[in-house]
Amino acid sequence: MISKVEGFIEKYLGELRQNNAAVFVGAGLSTSAGFVDWAGLLAPLAKEISLDSTKETDLVALAQYYLNSKRGQRHDINQLLVDKFSDLRAPTENHRILARLPLGVYWTTNYDRLLETAIQQAGRRLDVKLTVKGLSRTRPGRDAVLYKMHGDIELPEDTILAKDEYERYHVSHQPFVTALSGDLVERTFLFLGFSFTDPNIDYIFSRIRIQLVGNQRTHYWLTKRRTQKPGESSEDFGYARAKQDHVIEDLKRFNVEAILVDEYSDITETLQKIENRFRMATVFVSGAAADYSGNDPTVVDQVLKKIGTNLISDGFRIASGMGIAVGTAVVTGAVEQIYSDDSRSIQNSLVLRPFPIGIEDAAKRMETFTRYREELISQAGIAIFILGNKIESGKLVESPGVWQEFELAKQKGLHIIPVGGLGGMAAKVANEVLTNFAQYYPKDDGSIRAAIEKLNGPMGDGLGYLDALRTIINKLAKD
């Protein structure tokens, strides 16, 4: 029987592959990086007005009480935000995984910069939305959008914190309400580090429920099961556990399904599984051929096209730099299969980065090529190496670019599948893998090695190659 966590992973992966997934990040994800939570943030303000933030359940009201005591002046609150959130802390592994996932939409109520830092470090072009006026601007070439619905530490005076600001939010920030409502209707959200005590989220969910009663999209809340804290009485723990159960049951009204884990580390492990399985569904094809090295060109072309066809029909996505002959043939077979299947699309099935050969400056050209390779390879979990040769000074030589792609794939933890029997740089990759096989496939039962050895032998009619590739790839995807 599939566990609830495993069932969630499969469903969320399906949405991710269809570009329908989104994530909503709350304060809990920032506390693990060393930032204070809401109670910790408000602790000195509460003390100043003779209250205790650890005893308060309505922290929005607590912030309002303090603001009332200051006759509505926010200076001290703004300074506190700057003091607590201006540190340049490093993103956590959870942030880094979320940044690497091909999510097009991120939402957060956090003021810190952890999420955008992680996304930018992942090499993705981010469009950050901080204010209502900023919503109408679009950053050219963006890879993802981050909506900071409660503001940013760089604009502390515009952050949403106290009850007054929450009560006015649906008017003062109506475009944010509209945007989030639309995403919640159209996308499947994963909520992380979130407590579901935010009045704005409750307001938006309530209106969606009223409009779409019985037809709401399923969302997921990945959170830790409440456990007894050191020194906590059994009575207090029982109350807290009952409260969590009631929150979980209430979220069902909004079709939010709680996925409970025992430890915070389990959240990271679950995100890692999502990333790994998503990457395993993408196969990077490396290779180029100015010459087929004595192999029958007709058979080679048929095999290359069939590789593309098989990958698509088996549910994989193909990443390729469109290497001469090799990449174009594989992509041709893939496109033919995509167009024969109404359930697949070019956008979701192919990641192509044709290399711009017209860059005259050698250093700039190599820099661009390396970036292309890193972007492609980082999205995949499996890499196939085929042929790999080019004409240089009138001579046929092995392609150094294919070897660089092998090194990058190894560095990023991809499973390496060399088709060494056709020669070229792929033969050198095959020799490396077979010589140090235990380093590349430490858990192999012998079937993967046998298949790679078949790929390192003569091609014949090509059917043996196709069977061997299919055996390896499908085994890796299941494992």
Side-chain angles (χ1 to χ4, degrees):
M1 182 177 177
I2 299 177
S3 70
K4 195 169 185 179
V5 172
E6 287 295 321
F8 150 68
I9 290 174
E10 287 305 311
K11 290 176 182 176
Y12 194 71
L13 273 171
E15 298 293 347
L16 199 58
R17 289 166 184 151
Q18 295 298 320
N19 294 324
N20 294 331
V23 69
F24 199 114
V25 172
L29 222 63
S30 296
T31 55
S32 56
F35 285 121
V36 294
D37 59 10
W38 258 54
L41 173 67
L42 297 177
L45 305 184
K47 185 177 181 180
E48 192 174 329
I49 58 174
S50 303
L51 293 176
D52 184 346
S53 64
T54 63
K55 295 180 180 179
E56 297 294 324
T57 57
D58 190 344
L59 296 176
V60 172
L62 175 58
Q64 186 64 48
Y65 299 157
Y66 180 83
L67 201 55
N68 293 343
S69 75
K70 297 295 183 179
R71 297 180 297 280
Q73 298 300 309
R74 274 197 52 146
H75 175 270
D76 291 345
I77 289 180
N78 296 341
Q79 187 60 51
L80 180 65
L81 291 173
V82 172
D83 292 343
K84 295 296 185 181
F85 290 106
S86 290
D87 288 351
L88 297 176
R89 299 186 183 275
T92 66
E93 180 62 12
N94 290 336
H95 289 97
R96 289 191 288 270
I97 294 171
L98 292 175
R100 291 192 297 263
L101 288 174
L103 293 161
V105 173
Y106 298 81
W107 282 84
T108 186
T109 49
N110 297 346
Y111 312 128
D112 60 68
R113 293 293 184 85
L114 292 172
L115 194 52
E116 49 261 64
T117 297
I119 295 171
Q120 288 161 355
Q121 288 176 349
R124 305 179 68 199
R125 189 183 295 270
L126 185 64
D127 190 356
V128 184
K129 305 298 185 183
L130 305 178
T131 64
V132 170
K133 291 181 179 178
L135 287 175
S136 63
R137 294 191 299 270
T138 301
R139 182 177 182 180
R142 68 186 186 187
D143 298 310
V145 184
L146 170 62
Y147 295 92
K148 304 193 76 170
M149 64 181 291
H150 285 173
D152 181 86
I153 189 56
E154 292 300 312
L155 300 169
E157 63 279 358
D158 293 332
T159 55
I160 305 301
L161 184 67
K163 197 170 186 178
D164 257 352
E165 294 149 3
Y166 274 92
E167 289 173 345
R168 294 195 301 267
Y169 192 87
H170 71 285
V171 175
S172 64
H173 289 68
Q174 180 59 45
F176 273 98
V177 174
T178 301
L180 180 54
S181 298
D183 279 343
L184 285 168
V185 169
E186 295 182 354
R187 299 178 182 272
T188 295
F189 271 74
L190 170 59
F191 289 86
L192 291 165
F194 204 70
S195 62
F196 283 98
T197 57
D198 189 287
N200 286 333
I201 301 302
D202 188 65
Y203 173 92
I204 293 169
F205 263 127
S206 297
R207 275 141 190 81
I208 292 174
R209 183 176 66 88
I210 292 170
Q211 294 292 326
L212 299 178
V213 59
N215 295 288
Q216 298 173 84
R217 182 183 284 270
T218 301
H219 304 290
Y220 299 96
W221 179 33
L222 182 58
T223 190
K224 182 181 178 294
R225 182 179 286 103
R226 185 62 161 83
T227 53
Q228 193 165 4
K229 298 177 181 178
E232 184 178 35
S233 69
S234 297
E235 182 180 358
D236 287 344
F237 168 62
Y239 184 89
R241 188 66 172 265
K243 177 68 178 292
Q244 185 182 56
D245 290 342
H246 285 300
V247 170
I248 290 170
E249 188 64 28
D250 188 58
L251 286 174
K252 292 178 182 178
R253 294 188 301 132
F254 307 129
N255 211 22
V256 176
E257 184 177 336
I259 309 298
L260 299 178
V261 295
D262 295 323
E263 303 293 340
Y264 286 116
S265 59
D266 293 336
I267 294 177
T268 304
E269 183 180 329
T270 301
L271 293 177
Q272 287 171 337
K273 286 182 178 179
I274 291 172
E275 181 185 22
N276 290 339
R277 292 184 192 178
F278 182 85
R279 288 182 63 189
M280 287 301 293
T282 299
V283 178
F284 172 67
V285 178
S286 172
D291 183 273
Y292 283 160
S293 302
N295 298 289
D296 186 332
T298 302
V299 177
V300 174
D301 279 336
Q302 290 174 346
V303 169
L304 293 174
K305 287 182 181 179
K306 192 62 177 177
I307 289 172
T309 298
N310 288 349
L311 287 172
I312 297 300
S313 64
D314 289 345
F316 292 95
R317 188 173 68 152
I318 298 172
S320 173
M322 298 290 288
I324 296 171
V326 173
T328 50
V330 171
V331 170
T332 297
V335 170
E336 290 175 354
Q337 181 62 27
I338 292 167
Y339 283 151
S340 71
D341 183 353
D342 291 339
S343 67
R344 301 299 296 266
S345 69
I346 295 290
Q347 180 181 2
N348 293 336
S349 303
L350 296 176
V351 184
L352 305 179
R353 295 286 190 279
F355 284 76
I357 59 176
I359 301 176
E360 295 183 3
D361 184 277
K364 184 66 175 177
R365 184 168 63 250
M366 289 306 299
E367 179 185 341
T368 302
F369 283 14
T370 299
R371 179 174 177 181
Y372 264 48
R373 289 181 170 115
E374 287 180 340
E375 288 181 357
L376 278 169
I377 292 169
S378 65
Q379 297 186 55
I382 298 170
I384 301 175
F385 294 86
I386 309 172
L387 285 163
N389 61 55
K390 66 176 185 175
I391 301 296
E392 191 172 89
S393 301
K395 295 182 179 180
L396 185 69
V397 298
E398 293 176 340
S399 172
V402 171
W403 185 260
Q404 183 188 26
E405 288 169 357
F406 163 65
E407 292 285 4
L408 286 170
K410 181 170 63 172
Q411 175 188 324
K412 294 182 180 296
L414 275 68
H415 294 283
I416 310 296
I417 307 176
V419 183
L422 296 181
M425 189 62 81
K428 183 178 178 180
V429 174
N431 181 64
E432 160 66 20
V433 171
L434 289 170
T435 301
N436 304 286
F437 193 79
Q439 296 178 20
Y440 294 91
Y441 293 99
K443 298 180 180 179
D444 180 41
D445 59 5
S447 60
I448 292 179
R449 183 180 183 101
I452 289 180
E453 288 176 344
K454 183 180 290 186
L455 292 170
N456 204 36
M459 176 179 62
D461 62 4
L463 295 180
Y465 276 14
L466 294 171
D467 288 343
L469 280 170
R470 223 166 189 174
T471 295
I472 298 170
I473 293 170
N474 287 317
K475 181 176 176 57
L476 291 174
K478 289 177 182 176
D479 292 345

